[in-house]
């Protein structure tokens, strides 16, 4: 839980939001198709911020209630974020189930188009007699941001509790979805990622930003982190799980990438990677997951990232439903 006596609220306009999502989806290897709506199994029609396609995969970007500030201005931040979460979950799961019946591999990305508690030095500027309007304009000019990006200052009468992005990310992970928020980007990132890119250098810069935020690892997970996460989450400890989780990831359109924890092992050989993880005592096939001092930190990072969501999807593909259901219940506090 995060608390603020006052907070700044940053959000993108439609044009900047569309540019950001186009850049993100194309950097992830998807063909961007803009916003659209689909009917779910319930018969309800749901709007999505963007649609992407890649071979057999379709990516649905669920925005949710946060996109319309005017309608929600009477709700406090926690109420607004809970409303966003509930609407995004309903849209994603309802339409995902409908498209799965059509034989498509469906990816879900939850996109939160708001950054709360934005840290900016307006207090220092105020001491120099610079108004909020002038300060915002100067900040946007410094970072060369488009004019449809808005920054609001809210001064509540009492302290406001907020949902943190980690809570929202955990909800996304519980259903095997990836999660993207404006809070995932540093201020200097925005100037790159909201610009239309027309050259490979800019595209590579966006990929670097996505890798740093660990969104990229959801779509191309390092083999060792994929395998380690699978052993950490699953009750199975047999070595066969290494190849099965690797094959399931590829089948879902998430081809594993270079190893991070054991770079000397061939990432195209999941069994060799698993043996190397065992050799370094990251895992133990005989009893339970065992981690070295450095491994504890690594696993905590793995569990809290979008890449971890791809493991849950792969476990579902292996029909380990009871394991996945237990994870979802634990995540939701049931």
């Amino acid at each position: 839980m995060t608390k603020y006596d006052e907070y700044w609220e940053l959000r993108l306009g439609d044009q900047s939001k569309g540019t950001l999502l186009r850049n993100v989806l194309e950097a992830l290897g998807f063909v961007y198709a803009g916003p659209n709506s689909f009917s779910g199994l319930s018969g309800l029609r749901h709007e999505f911020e963007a649609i992407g396609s890649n071979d057999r995969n379709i990516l649905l970007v669920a925005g949710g209630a946060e996109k319309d500030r005017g309608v929600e201005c009477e709700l406090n931040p926690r109420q607004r974020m809970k409303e966003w979460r509930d609407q995004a979950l309903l849209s994603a799961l309802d339409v995902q189930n409908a498209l799965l019946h059509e034989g498509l591999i469906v990816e879900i990305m939850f996109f939160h188009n708001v950054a709360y508690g934005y840290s900016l030095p307006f207090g220092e500027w105020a001491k120099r007699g610079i108004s909020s309007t002038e300060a915002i304009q100067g900040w946007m000019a410094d970072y060369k941001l488009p004019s449809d990006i808005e920054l609001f200052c809210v001064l509540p009468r009492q302290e406001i509790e907020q949902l943190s992005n980690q809570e929202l990310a955990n909800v996304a992970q519980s259903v095997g979805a990836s999660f993207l928020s404006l809070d995932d980007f540093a201020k200097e990132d925005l100037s790159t990622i909201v610009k239309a890119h027309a050259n490979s250098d800019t595209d590579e810069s966006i990929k670097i930003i996505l890798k740093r935020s660990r969104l990229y690892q959801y779509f191309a997970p390092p083999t060792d982190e994929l395998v380690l996460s699978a052993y950490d989450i699953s009750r199975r400890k047999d070595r066969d799980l290494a190849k099965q989780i690797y094959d399931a990831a590829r089948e879902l359109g998430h081809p594993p990438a270079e190893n991070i924890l054991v770079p000397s092992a061939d990432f195209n050989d999941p069994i060799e990677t698993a043996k190397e993880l065992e050799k370094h005592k990251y895992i133990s096939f005989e009893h339970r997951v065992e981690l070295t001092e450095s491994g504890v930190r690594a696993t905590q990072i793995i569990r809290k990232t979008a890449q971890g969501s791809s493991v849950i999807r792969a476990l579902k593909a292996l029909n380990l439903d009871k394991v996945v259901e237990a994870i979802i219940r634990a995540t939701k506090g049931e």
Side-chain angles (χ1 to χ4, degrees):
M1 194 80 66
T2 306
K3 296 183 178 180
Y4 296 102
D5 293 323
E6 67 176 53
Y7 64 88
W8 291 88
E9 182 179 299
L10 178 76
R11 64 177 60 221
L12 307 181
D14 288 340
Q15 182 173 344
S16 291
K17 179 173 59 179
T19 301
L20 180 145
L21 290 175
R22 174 188 291 275
N23 290 344
V24 168
L25 267 59
E26 289 182 350
L28 294 172
F30 286 85
V31 176
Y32 174 80
N36 207 334
S37 62
F38 290 91
S39 293
L41 281 183
S42 67
L44 295 173
R45 197 160 186 87
H46 304 274
E47 294 184 3
F48 292 90
E49 301 285 4
I51 310 296
S53 60
N54 180 8
D55 295 329
R56 296 177 301 154
N57 291 50
I58 182 170
L59 174 61
L60 306 177
V61 181
E66 282 284 8
K67 64 184 180 182
D68 190 346
R69 182 176 189 270
V71 174
E72 304 150 22
C73 60
E74 295 183 0
L75 300 178
N76 69 42
R78 185 172 183 84
Q79 290 171 326
R80 291 168 62 187
M81 294 179 89
K82 288 177 68 176
E83 183 176 340
W84 174 89
R85 177 200 64 193
D86 295 344
Q87 183 171 326
L89 271 173
L90 172 63
S91 298
L93 295 180
D94 196 17
V95 173
Q96 181 184 47
N97 288 329
L99 294 177
L100 286 174
H101 278 284
E102 298 179 13
L104 294 170
I105 297 177
V106 183
E107 307 281 356
I108 300 294
M109 178 188 294
F110 288 166
F111 172 56
H112 193 231
N113 186 35
V114 177
Y116 285 124
Y118 223 66
S119 177
L120 294 168
F122 288 112
E124 294 299 319
W125 292 345
K127 293 178 182 178
R128 297 183 305 188
I130 301 175
S131 68
S132 295
T133 300
E134 292 173 325
I136 292 172
Q137 291 175 345
W139 175 76
M140 293 182 64
D142 289 343
Y143 286 97
K144 300 180 174 62
L145 298 177
S147 60
D148 69 336
I149 293 180
E150 297 179 291
L151 190 62
F152 306 95
C153 180
V154 180
L155 301 173
R157 295 181 180 178
Q158 59 185 14
E159 194 172 59
I160 294 177
E161 294 183 345
Q162 295 179 217
L163 276 171
S164 69
N165 266 330
Q166 188 56 60
E167 290 180 79
L168 296 173
N170 287 343
V171 171
Q173 179 164 317
S174 73
V175 295
S178 59
F179 177 72
L180 175 65
S181 169
L182 291 187
D183 282 334
D184 292 330
F185 304 121
K187 301 181 192 71
E188 55 270 21
D189 293 339
L190 284 177
S191 60
T192 298
I193 209 163
V194 300
K195 288 182 179 179
H197 64 280
N199 59 70
S200 58
D201 289 341
T202 305
D203 188 65
E204 187 59 34
S205 296
I206 293 173
K207 285 184 179 180
I208 291 172
I209 293 171
L210 297 181
K211 287 178 180 179
R212 187 168 65 241
S213 67
R214 295 191 62 80
L215 179 66
Y216 195 87
Q217 283 84 328
Y218 172 81
F219 296 93
T223 297
D224 51 8
E225 291 191 348
L226 181 72
V227 170
L228 180 58
S229 295
Y231 283 113
D232 193 22
I233 293 173
S234 174
R235 294 171 184 164
R236 288 177 54 188
K237 297 297 175 281
D238 56 287
R239 191 169 286 143
D240 289 343
L241 180 60
K243 188 172 189 309
Q244 290 172 3
I245 199 79
Y246 179 92
D247 291 342
R250 293 186 65 87
E251 182 65 22
L252 290 170
H254 294 188
E258 289 82 358
N259 288 326
I260 299 296
L261 301 174
V262 287
S264 61
D266 179 6
F267 76 96
N268 288 309
D269 187 337
I271 299 298
E272 179 187 338
T273 297
K275 289 179 178 178
E276 195 69 14
L277 286 169
E278 184 183 22
K279 177 182 175 181
H280 287 79
K281 301 190 183 302
Y282 282 109
I283 56 177
S284 171
F285 295 111
E286 292 74 23
H287 301 291
R288 58 185 176 82
V289 175
E290 294 181 353
L291 302 169
T292 63
E293 183 177 350
S294 61
V296 169
R297 188 170 67 89
T299 298
Q300 289 302 311
I301 293 173
I302 291 169
R303 279 182 162 175
K304 296 179 181 178
T305 63
Q307 181 263 322
S309 303
S310 68
V311 178
I312 293 178
R313 290 199 68 215
L315 288 173
K316 287 182 178 179
L318 294 176
N319 296 319
L320 299 180
D321 292 336
K322 291 184 179 179
V323 176
V324 177
E325 287 174 6
I327 295 168
I328 293 174
R329 286 198 301 271
T331 302
K332 294 182 177 179
E334 298 178 5

